[in-house]
Amino acid sequence: MEPVIELDGLEVRFGGRPILKKLNASLTGRSIGLLGPNGAGKSTLLNTLLGFHKPFSGTARVLGRDIRTHAREVRGWIGYMPENDAFIASMTGVRFVRLMAELAGLPPEQALERAHEAFFYVGLGEVRYRTLGTYSLGMKQSAKLAQAIAHGPKLLFLDEPTNGLDPPARARMIALIQEIRDRGDLRLILSSHLLRDVEECCDQVLILKDGNIAAHCDLEEERRSNRRFLELETRGASNGNFLEALEKLGCETAQGAQGRTKLVLPEGLEIRRLYELAAEQNVQIRRLNHKRDSLEDIFLKAMEAADGRL
């Protein structure tokens, strides 16, 4: 798959102080999570890709175009939902989104049509003629998403899209992001300090800490590989023999407390065979769980590794 973003020794400095420190990565997912604690450099990276900050050294490519030499073209491909509000409070919602679509290059009539479509898509059709100053926080977040998609971008940048939302509003926003992702007509980068948002929406993650890349991994690959790790809870007098029989099948085992066993399945061994073996050994499998690293595990390991490098 063609890379969405390529970082090639990208360094950004403010007042001589390095903020992004020679980043190198190739991001290819449909939906990429940009994760890290506050101050890690997430928004700076997005703004640099948008051309708002000039690299001190190195460069980056967005959909194959260098941000140093094709900044205007790159900006035209991107829909940007910023973290902070940038509304004109006295404008109606639909007029504001029309303005943003025109600034992105659409002719006035098409911009107005797309503004109406975007408002209905994000669930704000009934309030599109109200002024933005009267919108609730959740409505403002949805309006920011509407203006980001109105001009039909190839790539969507979402900077803290659920920030400050109550649980129902957050659920609606996540559902919208998942729907956009699953349509497959554009790719997106979701920047957040919230692990849950990234885990629910993204198939690849780039973790930043103090301007460095702490980790970069394919979440789908992690999930697939961890299907071979199991935890069993068993009951039966011949539990020891059961472990020996598992090891003869090629399983790696570790005995835990209260009848729990952790094991790694060899390639080609189906779970059905575990139940057959348990029946042969008069052992009852009471519970079987697939063990996988959550994004929280990956994040915490990345933070520890980054601290070790400092």
Side-chain angles (χ1 to χ4, degrees):
M1 186 180 291
E2 179 190 3
V4 185
I5 305 291
E6 296 171 277
L7 306 177
D8 186 3
L10 181 66
E11 183 175 6
V12 175
R13 294 188 177 188
F14 295 160
R17 184 170 67 92
I19 305 301
L20 299 178
K21 304 170 184 176
K22 297 189 181 299
L23 306 186
N24 290 285
S26 179
L27 309 177
T28 59
R30 287 180 309 156
S31 177
I32 300 160
L34 186 57
L35 189 61
N38 291 326
K42 303 186 300 296
S43 294
T44 299
L45 176 56
L46 293 185
N47 287 326
T48 302
L49 296 175
L50 285 162
F52 299 146
H53 304 316
K54 186 177 180 180
F56 177 79
S57 65
T59 190
R61 288 174 290 278
V62 177
L63 298 174
R65 294 292 192 273
D66 195 300
I67 61 170
R68 285 183 178 271
T69 57
H70 295 80
R72 181 172 293 184
E73 185 179 8
V74 166
R75 261 200 305 272
W77 290 344
I78 296 173
Y80 177 43
M81 178 181 176
E83 177 181 5
N84 298 315
D85 291 349
F87 295 121
I88 301 172
S90 59
M91 268 191 177
T92 64
V94 73
R95 185 182 173 200
F96 175 76
V97 173
R98 174 187 177 176
L99 173 63
M100 294 297 102
E102 287 187 50
L103 291 175
L106 293 186
E109 289 187 5
Q110 187 179 358
L112 179 59
E113 181 181 348
R114 294 298 296 270
H116 284 287
E117 290 174 357
F119 259 85
F120 277 102
Y121 184 78
V122 301
L124 293 181
E126 293 183 0
V127 298
R128 65 192 188 280
Y129 294 116
R130 278 175 49 182
T131 57
L132 290 161
T134 68
Y135 281 19
S136 67
L137 177 58
M139 292 160 64
K140 287 178 179 178
Q141 289 294 94
S142 295
K144 283 197 286 187
L145 178 58
Q147 65 80 28
I149 63 176
H151 65 289
K154 295 181 180 180
L155 177 61
L156 189 59
F157 285 179
L158 306 173
D159 197 354
E160 303 286 358
T162 65
N163 206 15
L165 297 183
D166 59 30
R170 178 195 171 276
R172 288 192 295 271
M173 180 61 70
I174 291 296
L176 272 172
I177 295 169
Q178 291 171 336
E179 183 178 335
I180 291 170
R181 174 200 64 193
D182 294 341
R183 277 187 353 219
D185 56 350
L186 60 79
R187 294 157 91 173
L188 64 89
I189 293 182
L190 190 158
S191 173
S192 181
H193 66 284
L194 301 175
L195 297 170
R196 187 179 170 194
D197 286 5
V198 172
E199 188 150 38
E200 290 180 7
C201 296
C202 300
D203 52 41
Q204 192 175 102
V205 63
L206 180 73
I207 302 175
L208 296 181
K209 182 176 184 184
D210 296 327
N212 293 295
I213 294 176
H216 172 215
C217 68
D218 186 322
L219 292 177
E220 290 300 316
E221 190 174 298
E222 291 279 335
R223 290 159 185 158
R224 283 194 299 271
S225 66
N226 282 325
R227 297 294 291 177
R228 311 305 297 173
F229 291 78
L230 302 177
E231 185 175 73
L232 303 180
E233 184 178 324
T234 58
R235 295 288 185 274
S238 55
N239 232 17
N241 294 336
F242 179 55
L243 289 184
E244 290 181 14
L246 285 172
E247 290 171 358
K248 287 179 181 178
L249 290 176
C251 297
E252 297 178 36
T253 67
Q255 181 69 59
Q258 298 178 335
R260 291 189 178 89
T261 301
K262 294 182 179 180
L263 60 102
V264 181
L265 297 180
E267 287 295 329
L269 183 65
E270 299 295 332
I271 291 175
R272 179 180 66 252
R273 182 68 183 110
L274 302 184
Y275 284 94
E276 293 171 351
L277 186 63
E280 294 167 8
Q281 298 288 334
N282 294 317
V283 171
Q284 183 183 35
I285 296 178
R286 302 288 298 275
R287 183 176 299 169
L288 183 151
N289 294 319
H290 288 281
K291 187 255 178 210
R292 68 176 181 86
D293 279 352
S294 68
L295 183 55
E296 182 178 5
D297 296 323
I298 296 169
F299 180 76
L300 291 175
K301 288 176 185 176
M303 293 297 102
E304 290 171 3
D307 286 338
R309 291 195 295 267
L310 295 178

